[in-house]
Amino acid sequence: MTTKHEQIIAHIESLDVGSKISVRQIAKELAVSEGTAYRAIKEAENLGFVSTIERVGTIRIKRKHKENIEKLTFAEVVNIVDGQVLGGRDGLHKTLSKFVIGAMKLEAMMRYIDVDSLVIIGNREKAHELVLQSGGAVLITGGFDTTDEVKRMADKYHMPVISTSYDSFTVATMINRAIYDRLIKKEILLVSDIVIPLHDTFYLKVDDTVKRWHELNERTKHNRYPVIDEQMKVVGVITAKDLLDRPHDTEIEKVMTKSPITVGVQTSVTNAAHQMVWEGIEMLPVVDNYGRLLGIISRQDVLKALQLANRQPQVGETFDNMITNQLKEDPTSNGTAFTVEVAPQMTSHMGTASSGVLTTLLVEGATRSLRHMKKGDLVVENITVYFMKPIQIESQIRVSANVFDLGRKFGKVDVEMTQGTQLVAKALVTAQLIDR
């Protein structure tokens, strides 16, 4: 039996894209309290098929797939630029294909406008009309308004006209930054990228018997299966060691491992790998927000995915990338030391190297030395850092690492940071090793 919360989520998902949603309306239609309706709407927003826009309200939007995560909807643009919607609200759920800065003559500008383009432009009403007729949306900078005719056209063509107080350069920078952040997210492997879906997953029910496990084992050659109840919720996991000397008529519920570790589709593969290695697990059930089975991931698939990710070209650049790309390996150190100059973006407001950057460099020294000695992935478990002296901007620093304890599962590294002959920082790093 589904809960009221689940019923509300299903109702919202069934609404047409572009529909307005309100707490009061949902509460009245489904006969629930406004508090329950509010919590469900917030979860729908987190799940990506509802968006709340200031001065517009909450609307049903199309859930974006991961391959299109670098694209923005017009609704998201409104939030990014703190904009006001002047017309065409029914088109806010649409995804923009590109944005164009309309700082040219009309004839030249129209060559660059395609359907679902966003044109960033000032108070040029004729241009607003031509953009809408070409299937594009309009973002008016400088806080200007537009004509009633343009607003009517926006409603007619279901393409939004948005006004923002920012100038064109600032708006373009803000939108570009949002797209760039999505490119970085696109690189991160999620469980949804490698999950074996439900229709290809073998599982057992609580009222199945040990005999059913043996039948599946004979058919699939697997010995680990998730166990579900009548609502498809994962309530346990059954493995071969749970069935030692158990009669074939024993119910699975009596011998399974209860309250198993599970992951969601939005969990990162790295996080899942860490749980599997730490707990010694070969298979993890993948569940939705209500604990219902969506599929499984295996340890073998997780490690293959991590190997593949390391061979992918980088598209977006994180702060860690920006810092570590400036490192120069010391050729005399055999992979255990590197040098770097403290750049302006590495400093704090006091003009010295920030503690966060220094910690990143110390951890990078430890992980590089461990990878040099033992190929594979690793997860930092613990770090103890000591900062002895402040480091000035444009200083040359050297980071050297010494692996003093290396086992099959863990590595311990002593890392030193020096400026000339002075010791300026030191760290002890413990990392968990993931064999490939």
Side-chain angles (χ1 to χ4, degrees):
M1 183 178 174
T2 58
T3 64
K4 288 183 178 179
H5 188 84
E6 293 171 309
Q7 290 170 10
I8 298 169
I9 293 290
H11 171 73
I12 295 172
E13 201 163 6
S14 70
L15 296 174
D16 293 334
V17 171
S19 301
K20 291 283 291 286
I21 299 168
S22 73
V23 170
R24 187 170 296 175
Q25 164 210 340
I26 294 291
K28 185 177 179 181
E29 288 183 7
L30 299 183
V32 297
S33 70
E34 292 191 0
T36 302
Y38 175 79
R39 286 190 292 273
I41 289 173
K42 279 300 174 187
E43 181 170 338
E45 195 169 348
N46 293 334
L47 292 172
F49 55 85
V50 162
S51 179
T52 301
I53 307 167
E54 192 175 349
R55 294 185 294 276
V56 173
T58 304
I59 59 171
R60 171 77 165 90
I61 62 171
K62 186 176 181 181
R63 193 199 297 257
K64 289 185 296 205
H65 298 294
K66 192 166 190 274
E67 60 268 24
N68 291 327
I69 198 167
E70 71 274 15
K71 301 294 179 77
L72 295 169
T73 64
F74 295 116
E76 289 172 310
V77 170
V78 175
N79 285 335
I80 290 166
V81 302
D82 192 24
Q84 179 180 357
V85 181
L86 304 179
R89 283 180 168 79
D90 290 345
L92 287 171
H93 67 278
K94 295 180 180 177
T95 300
L96 65 94
S97 59
K98 65 178 181 181
F99 67 89
V100 178
I101 298 178
M104 58 191 87
K105 290 184 178 180
L106 283 180
E107 297 78 14
M109 185 179 73
M110 297 311 294
R111 294 202 301 267
Y112 296 94
I113 299 172
D114 301 319
V115 174
D116 293 338
S117 302
L118 176 68
V119 180
I120 302 169
I121 198 167
N123 55 338
R124 298 164 61 188
E125 286 85 0
K126 184 61 179 175
H128 301 167
E129 294 179 11
L130 291 174
V131 169
L132 290 169
Q133 289 170 357
S134 300
V138 179
L139 177 53
I140 306 170
T141 56
F144 293 108
D145 201 346
T146 189
T147 64
D148 291 339
E149 177 60 25
V150 169
K151 295 175 185 177
R152 281 193 292 270
M153 289 176 65
D155 293 335
K156 175 183 175 183
Y157 295 123
H158 305 296
M159 291 303 293
V161 174
I162 306 161
S163 176
T164 178
S165 59
Y166 296 110
D167 62 89
S168 297
F169 176 79
T170 303
V171 165
T173 303
M174 294 165 82
I175 295 174
N176 205 45
R177 178 73 254 179
I179 294 173
Y180 194 74
D181 286 346
R182 280 161 170 74
L183 287 172
I184 292 173
K185 288 181 183 178
K186 187 179 178 184
E187 293 174 7
I188 300 171
L189 276 174
L190 302 179
V191 166
S192 58
D193 296 314
I194 63 168
V195 62
I196 299 169
L198 185 61
H199 56 78
D200 292 327
T201 297
F202 297 96
Y203 52 85
L204 292 165
K205 298 180 179 178
V206 286
D207 54 0
D208 282 333
T209 61
V210 170
K211 180 182 178 182
R212 173 63 178 155
W213 181 93
H214 285 286
E215 290 172 355
L216 275 183
N217 174 250
E218 183 68 27
R219 178 178 158 196
T220 66
K221 306 305 179 188
H222 300 157
N223 57 18
R224 295 173 177 81
Y225 304 99
V227 182
I228 62 170
D229 62 14
E230 63 276 3
Q231 296 176 6
M232 291 295 292
K233 293 183 178 180
V234 176
V235 293
V237 167
I238 190 80
T239 67
K241 68 179 181 181
D242 297 322
L243 304 179
L244 291 175
D245 303 322
R246 296 287 185 173
H248 278 214
D249 59 351
T250 306
E251 286 191 357
I252 290 294
E253 188 175 18
K254 295 179 180 177
V255 293
M256 69 183 185
T257 300
K258 297 180 179 179
S259 303
I261 297 171
T262 60
V263 291
V265 288
Q266 294 302 307
T267 304
S268 71
V269 170
T270 304
N271 190 300
H274 181 246
Q275 291 191 66
M276 296 177 95
V277 172
W278 184 258
E279 300 290 343
I281 299 170
E282 296 294 328
M283 178 274 295
L284 276 177
V286 180
V287 299
D288 64 13
N289 290 344
Y290 309 109
R292 294 177 299 213
L293 184 65
L294 297 176
I296 61 167
I297 56 172
S298 70
R299 178 166 168 160
Q300 184 179 12
D301 290 336
V302 165
L303 297 183
K304 279 182 182 177
L306 289 176
Q307 287 178 321
L308 178 64
N310 288 337
R311 295 196 294 267
Q312 295 301 305
Q314 297 300 302
V315 182
E317 190 175 36
T318 63
F319 288 126
D320 272 7
N321 296 145
M322 292 166 62
I323 295 168
T324 57
N325 285 346
Q326 300 179 52
L327 308 182
K328 297 176 183 176
E329 189 171 319
D330 186 337
T332 64
S333 67
N334 196 25
T336 61
F338 57 79
T339 59
V340 63
E341 183 178 295
V342 178
Q345 65 264 35
M346 294 182 180
T347 58
S348 67
H349 67 284
M350 299 178 68
T352 57
S354 77
S355 56
V357 168
L358 296 182
T359 303
T360 297
L361 293 172
L362 291 166
V363 171
E364 182 67 15
T367 55
R368 286 192 180 197
S369 61
L370 283 170
R371 287 196 180 101
H372 182 76
M373 297 185 68
K374 188 166 184 176
K375 305 298 181 185
D377 292 299
L378 55 91
V379 178
V380 174
E381 289 288 346
N382 186 51
I383 175 170
T384 304
V385 185
Y386 300 92
F387 299 117
M388 283 79 166
K389 293 179 182 293
I391 305 172
Q392 299 298 314
I393 190 172
E394 296 181 349
S395 298
Q396 193 80 16
I397 55 178
R398 184 176 191 269
V399 178
S400 57
N402 171 43
V403 180
F404 64 88
D405 188 7
L406 184 64
R408 193 169 65 88
K409 295 285 187 183
F410 287 92
K412 295 181 180 178
V413 191
D414 180 49
V415 193
E416 292 187 346
M417 181 179 290
T418 55
Q419 181 184 356
T421 58
Q422 286 191 320
L423 181 67
V424 293
K426 189 177 178 67
L428 174 64
V429 180
T430 305
Q432 184 181 154
L433 308 174
I434 304 175
D435 291 326
R436 290 180 177 171

